[in-house]
Amino acid sequence: MEPIESRHEPEACLRLFEELVARTEEDGWADLTRGLDALEHCTGPRPDVSAPAAALVELSLARDTVRQPYALLGVARLAGEKSLRAVVERLTRDVGPIVADEFAVIAALAPAEQALLSRIDRQHRFSEPLPADIWQRSADSPAYVAFARRALEAAADRTDAIRADEIPYRADKAFTDREVISLGQAARVALLRDEPWLPALFDRLLPGVTLAPTPARTVPSQALLYEIARAALDFPTPELVTALRTVRKTVRHAGVPKQLDKMLKKIDAALAERTDVALRLPRLDFGDDGVLRRTAGDYTAVVTVTDTATLTWEKDGRPLRSTPAPVRRDHPALLKELRELVKRVDAQLVTLARALEGGFTVDTAHPYAWWRAELVEHPLARTVVRRLIWEVEVEPGRWQAVLPEAGEFPDAPDDDASVRLWHPIRSTPDEVRAWRDLLVERSIRQPFKQAFREIYLLTPAEEETRVYSNRFAAHLVHYRRLFALFRARGWRSRLLGPWDDGDGDGAERRLGAGEWQVVFFHTWYDWADGDELASTDQVRFLRRSEGTWREAPLADVPPLVFSEAMRDVDLFVGVTSIAADPDWTDAGPERSYWERARFAELTESAEARVDVLERILPRLKIADRCTLDGRFLVVRGELRTYRIHLGSANILMEPDDSYLCIVRTDRKGSGKVFLPFEDDRLSLILSKAFLLAADTEITDESILAQIRRGL
């Protein structure tokens, strides 16, 4: 059929309905929304389509499964009252009160509203995400919004009844598949509207669908849990993300936490893009100092929020080492409530930090007064926010960087002055060095890498290739680890393998409030050393234009978007490259790549480690045994001198540059070193340095044999 837009005249609309009938008779199905849309765009008086509409109703009801029930209700209204009653009766048969309520609401709407709502009716809960403007139509319908609240409250009432043993419990049977679809749509509408009653409702509903009323390791409804998580991916709120993280810690089903973790990574990225709600955080009755106190008989519970939330107990002002036995015996409900509060606060802090970091490419600005009251002085948010560097626009176009943890604030700015997160790409090298020095001197550990954040600028080679970058191409990586990292960082990619159409793909991530898309191409390579390998390829960028994605020259990509995207790709390659695998033994053609790349030139992320080591090495007890030499940390032991590569953490031994394989080390002492940000590779490098500086104390025979060989 031709596009709807070309069929605006009444005669064309009538012909379209007749063609829908013919298509349904021939194929058993036709897209009814096309007929409803055509009538909405009719340029003249609407034609009488009651006859073909009645035929469509009759054909649809004759099938075992009714597709597009919303659209069918709209078509039935066009056919007449008799057809509408027949459709309502069929759709509400044995579907339960939630779905019956939904169909009754749709049936009572005016034809124009039915046509608008018909677009959101998904065939199943795994349907492709719909554009936000489609959901907005439902969010603008008072009748459907009212249904959304009734439906979600009814779902929470049902899970409450299951937990109270008023409804028999059956694993994964709390809701039918159609109810899950309806509730997912209701949740999306409420989330899009950011309804104020939603947080309390999710605090009831999510534990209800994840915890069996018995000690069983089953759940009342995995389907609804994951559908709500998919709704959160479409329209995230910090309260829902926190609620999902909270139930992830309490669910007893073995497979649910892993699946939720995958979904939460994507939801975090989506929340960072929804800047109007991302930084909202409740106070939960905490004092301005980030402390909450509750009395339990002769004892006082103290919940303190620093880097994380901790629960301690006092008696007569004296701190106790553990939870008092009388509290466990006489106040179990309060103890459970406080422990759940700690989990909830920790989840909220993680959500806030990830939303802030993910929002770098959005470059959102906040009013100074709101930022000071709702973030810097917020009893919970302050522990995250105060350790970050911010920029305040003290004059038009002039920004002043401040670190609240250091007690630094600009001189009396206007309450409406703009505040944004500081990023090193907007600063001079001297300014960046000054901030890094300050963090190390004051032992301030940032919630994510900011002052030491790598920046990626366009290179001459990329200016030459113009629309693609080969900066991270031609690497061999552990494919399954790469695929897991894609999910962890909010990238979308299909699984590759030795099957038809499984040879290559472009992993995608949207940035810059959804206006930009980065694509990292990679191909499935082969099996080697018992593992699947992939080969990396180009990075390209696309820009949204007139509703479609169009490839963009690298020079047109905003510097922040380019830098943050390339930072992710550097992480993917750096973490998963076989060059970083100290135990690689395969002798095939991949060996030449491993030999070449394991001591290669440093990338931006490795250069950041050099910067940190320059500052912290003088503070270490092994400082007199360590020096930096280009891409290596040189460690002088008693038996040999060792060169640890700052990119791969691989080791060469002097004087013959023989390779030393250390798969892992648990050397004590290295874990106490202050690092201004979390970096597993840097921690590994330092642990190897502590081990090798005291090589005469090594007891692992596999390591000693390598060191003594050739001595």
Side-chain angles (χ1 to χ4, degrees):
M1 283 186 277
E2 298 177 18
I4 295 170
E5 288 76 5
S6 65
R7 296 183 177 273
H8 290 314
E9 297 195 4
E11 296 80 4
C13 293
L14 178 58
R15 287 198 303 271
L16 175 58
F17 266 83
E18 292 170 345
E19 189 174 345
L20 289 172
V21 174
R23 183 66 60 85
T24 303
E25 289 176 334
E26 181 180 345
D27 299 336
W29 179 82
D31 187 356
L32 301 182
T33 63
R34 297 179 68 84
L36 296 174
D37 285 345
L39 287 181
E40 286 305 304
H41 295 89
C42 198
T43 57
R46 288 190 177 186
D48 181 5
V49 296
S50 58
L56 286 170
V57 169
E58 184 177 351
L59 290 167
S60 298
L61 294 182
R63 300 189 61 81
D64 293 335
T65 303
V66 176
R67 300 180 66 176
Q68 295 182 301
Y70 290 6
L72 183 59
L73 284 166
V75 170
R77 178 180 284 277
L78 297 170
E81 194 63 33
K82 181 179 178 182
S83 293
L84 183 59
R85 283 199 304 270
V87 170
V88 171
E89 181 182 350
R90 171 67 180 278
L91 293 179
T92 56
R93 187 187 308 161
D94 302 323
V95 294
I98 292 175
V99 180
D101 183 14
E102 179 185 28
F103 288 145
V105 168
I106 302 297
L109 294 177
E113 283 191 283
Q114 286 180 334
L116 291 174
L117 284 172
S118 66
R119 286 287 185 177
I120 75 164
D121 190 35
R122 298 170 303 149
Q123 300 303 312
H124 50 75
R125 60 180 183 268
F126 303 110
S127 298
E128 285 296 310
L130 295 172
D133 62 315
I134 299 296
W135 288 109
Q136 189 62 54
R137 298 172 181 178
S138 305
D140 290 339
S141 169
Y144 197 87
V145 171
F147 155 74
R149 181 169 188 174
R150 290 197 305 272
L152 293 169
E153 288 177 343
D157 289 342
R158 187 182 302 179
T159 58
D160 287 347
I162 291 173
R163 296 175 75 175
D165 207 23
E166 297 170 2
I167 297 176
Y169 173 67
R170 292 188 299 158
D172 281 320
K173 299 295 184 182
F175 300 94
T176 66
D177 194 60
R178 178 63 226 190
E179 285 178 323
V180 170
I181 294 172
S182 298
L183 289 168
Q185 293 175 173
R188 285 171 174 83
V189 168
L191 286 166
L192 175 58
R193 292 174 58 87
D194 196 21
E195 293 286 357
W197 46 267
L198 261 183
L201 189 141
F202 280 135
D203 285 344
R204 284 177 58 205
L205 179 58
L206 287 175
V209 298
T210 54
L211 286 175
T214 68
R217 294 182 176 272
T218 56
V219 298
S221 180
Q222 285 189 72
L224 184 55
L225 171 64
Y226 296 147
E227 178 66 6
I228 291 174
R230 281 188 288 271
L233 182 57
D234 290 336
F235 304 109
T237 65
E239 294 84 3
L240 177 52
V241 176
T242 295
L244 287 168
R245 277 207 171 86
T246 300
V247 298
R248 179 252 179 267
K249 293 181 179 179
T250 57
V251 64
R252 295 189 291 267
H253 189 290
V256 169
K258 184 177 180 180
Q259 183 64 27
L260 273 183
D261 285 343
K262 294 176 182 178
M263 301 179 81
L264 280 166
K265 298 295 184 182
K266 297 179 181 179
I267 296 169
D268 285 336
L271 179 61
E273 301 287 327
R274 197 180 182 192
T275 55
D276 56 326
V277 302
L279 306 185
R280 189 170 60 210
L281 209 62
R283 293 180 177 262
L284 300 178
D285 297 326
F286 278 79
D288 291 340
D289 57 352
V291 177
L292 179 144
R293 286 179 165 80
R294 297 284 295 276
T295 301
D298 295 333
Y299 303 91
T300 301
V302 182
V303 180
T304 306
V305 180
T306 52
D307 289 2
T308 59
T310 56
L311 170 62
T312 58
W313 293 88
E314 296 178 351
K315 184 177 182 181
D316 299 328
R318 292 182 296 104
L320 304 177
R321 292 185 176 181
S322 60
T323 305
V327 171
R328 292 195 300 269
R329 182 187 65 242
D330 301 332
H331 304 277
L334 175 61
L335 182 59
K336 179 182 178 182
E337 176 190 340
L338 292 171
R339 286 173 173 170
E340 289 178 349
L341 176 65
V342 167
K343 293 178 182 177
R344 182 179 179 187
V345 169
D346 283 343
Q348 288 174 330
L349 296 179
V350 170
T351 298
L352 176 63
R354 290 182 177 171
L356 286 167
E357 184 178 21
F360 264 133
T361 62
V362 182
D363 208 17
T364 304
H366 313 283
Y368 178 83
W370 180 89
W371 170 79
R372 187 84 182 251
E374 298 300 326
L375 292 180
V376 176
E377 296 172 356
H378 189 288
L380 305 184
R382 57 187 292 163
T383 185
V384 173
V385 172
R386 294 176 69 88
R387 289 178 288 141
L388 293 170
I389 306 166
W390 297 82
E391 286 184 309
V392 182
E393 192 174 26
V394 291
E395 294 177 4
R398 187 170 75 84
W399 297 80
Q400 179 181 335
V402 297
L403 178 65
E405 185 73 5
E408 298 180 4
F409 291 95
D411 297 330
D414 186 273
D415 283 352
D416 294 327
S418 294
V419 183
R420 67 186 182 189
L421 264 180
W422 176 91
H423 193 286
I425 204 169
R426 291 191 294 255
S427 298
T428 67
D430 286 343
E431 290 170 337
V432 173
R433 279 193 292 270
W435 282 118
R436 293 177 176 181
D437 289 341
L438 179 64
L439 291 178
V440 173
E441 289 168 6
R442 302 198 183 189
S443 296
I444 298 174
R445 184 181 176 90
Q446 296 196 289
F448 52 82
K449 190 187 291 188
Q450 186 192 26
F452 285 87
R453 201 172 192 82
E454 311 87 349
I455 60 173
Y456 300 77
L457 304 174
L458 209 60
T459 64
E462 288 162 343
E463 291 174 352
E464 186 81 17
T465 55
R466 204 176 73 82
V467 294
Y468 65 87
S469 168
N470 274 330
R471 192 185 306 200
F472 298 105
H475 288 274
L476 292 180
V477 298
H478 293 282
Y479 175 61
R480 293 291 175 151
R481 297 181 198 172
L482 177 70
F483 186 72
L485 263 182
F486 285 155
R487 294 192 170 190
R489 299 289 296 180
W491 289 60
R492 297 178 61 183
S493 177
R494 63 187 179 90
L495 185 66
L496 303 182
W499 50 73
D500 290 344
D501 297 325
D503 56 335
D505 189 33
E508 303 172 354
R509 183 187 172 191
R510 295 186 183 181
L511 299 165
E515 293 302 309
W516 289 91
Q517 185 179 79
V518 56
V519 184
F520 176 35
F521 291 94
H522 56 288
T523 58
W524 195 85
Y525 180 80
D526 204 349
W527 288 89
D529 204 23
D531 197 5
E532 291 180 84
L533 300 185
S535 176
T536 64
D537 207 333
Q538 300 174 355
V539 176
R540 292 177 179 258
F541 287 82
L542 297 90
R543 185 175 193 171
R544 187 185 292 278
S545 176
E546 298 178 354
T548 62
W549 291 103
R550 303 184 188 276
E551 191 168 76
L554 300 182
D556 292 349
V557 182
L560 253 176
V561 172
F562 181 84
S563 184
E564 289 298 301
M566 298 300 276
R567 182 176 183 270
D568 266 6
V569 179
D570 189 357
L571 170 72
F572 297 150
V573 174
V575 171
T576 65
S577 170
I578 64 172
D581 186 345
D583 204 26
W584 185 262
T585 58
D586 189 79
E590 301 82 17
R591 183 75 181 187
S592 60
Y593 165 79
W594 184 82
E595 294 281 359
R596 182 179 71 255
R598 60 181 176 152
F599 298 112
E601 292 292 333
L602 301 183
T603 64
E604 285 84 347
S605 60
E607 290 285 2
R609 294 185 196 116
V610 176
D611 205 327
V612 176
L613 287 171
E614 287 176 343
R615 290 169 167 80
I616 67 174
L617 278 180
R619 300 164 175 256
L620 304 182
K621 65 180 182 180
I622 59 171
D624 61 335
R625 291 184 172 271
C626 297
T627 56
L628 288 169
D629 181 14
R631 71 191 78 165
F632 294 94
L633 171 61
V634 182
V635 181
R636 180 174 54 83
E638 294 295 335
L639 303 177
R640 285 214 192 200
T641 295
Y642 311 89
R643 298 169 62 83
I644 307 174
H645 190 259
L646 297 173
S648 65
N650 288 324
I651 307 167
L652 295 175
M653 297 185 290
E654 295 182 356
D656 56 354
D657 276 350
S658 55
Y659 176 68
L660 173 60
C661 176
I662 300 178
V663 177
R664 61 186 297 272
T665 174
D666 296 320
R667 181 68 181 178
K668 293 181 179 179
S670 58
K672 298 179 181 178
V673 176
F674 164 75
L675 296 178
F677 55 86
E678 184 177 348
D679 185 329
D680 291 339
R681 187 66 54 82
L682 181 55
S683 297
L684 176 62
I685 290 169
L686 286 171
S687 68
K688 289 183 177 182
F690 274 87
L691 177 76
L692 296 172
D695 53 4
T696 56
E697 300 176 15
I698 295 174
T699 58
D700 189 315
E701 286 298 328
S702 66
I703 298 176
L704 285 174
Q706 297 177 75
I707 294 175
R708 290 169 177 162
R709 190 181 300 126
L711 290 179

